[in-house]
Amino acid sequence: QVQLVESGGGLVQAGGSLRLSCAASGRAFSSVAMGWFRQAPGKEREFVSAISWGGRTTYYADSMKGRFTISRDKAKNTVYLQMNSLEPGDTAVYYCAADPGTIAAIMSGPYNYWGQGTQVTVSS
């Protein structure tokens, strides 16, 4: 059974930082891209960041560039999202995803595997 389990969410004040983790199990994800999406209340899910299978290429939504950093540890089958300078507008449920299937889908989806999400709340 394939599982993606996110952790690291929580409540933080504006300007603070959080580090999200996504641990994959059930198969090796070392050969596929992985990404993060988020969904705020009343809004559609949106792309946050992604990383290529080799970890050399990273992708970010414009509003996250310079504040968020994605990385992966292939040996641990884990991808991370370091989030700095958090803003109230970053409040959302953050979802980990794996295997977009094609390069074209890396920033838009769909992905073949999804986690259950972790809540991030940024207070002003």
Side-chain angles (χ1 to χ4, degrees):
Q1 182 180 1
V2 174
Q3 277 193 316
L4 299 176
V5 180
E6 302 97 334
S7 62
L11 174 64
V12 64
Q13 289 188 330
S17 299
L18 284 174
R19 187 194 194 203
L20 304 183
S21 299
C22 173
S25 62
R27 58 157 283 185
F29 287 92
S30 60
S31 62
V32 299
M34 296 185 71
W36 289 93
F37 290 74
R38 70 185 186 185
Q39 187 166 19
K43 296 186 177 181
E44 293 187 353
R45 187 167 59 191
E46 64 173 344
F47 170 78
V48 174
S49 181
I51 188 166
S52 64
W53 69 269
R56 293 184 177 182
T57 304
T58 55
Y59 308 81
Y60 297 94
D62 288 343
S63 62
M64 287 73 166
K65 289 179 180 178
R67 299 191 300 126
F68 292 7
T69 303
I70 191 170
S71 61
R72 68 188 299 170
D73 185 331
K74 297 176 71 173
K76 295 182 178 180
N77 235 10
T78 300
V79 65
Y80 305 96
L81 184 68
Q82 177 67 42
M83 305 186 295
N84 299 326
S85 301
L86 284 162
E87 305 165 352
D90 295 317
T91 295
V93 177
Y94 284 70
Y95 296 92
C96 175
D99 191 8
T102 66
I103 294 177
I106 284 179
M107 296 181 68
S108 62
Y111 281 58
N112 288 319
Y113 303 98
W114 292 87
Q116 293 299 307
T118 184
Q119 177 70 46
V120 171
T121 303
V122 184
S123 63
S124 58

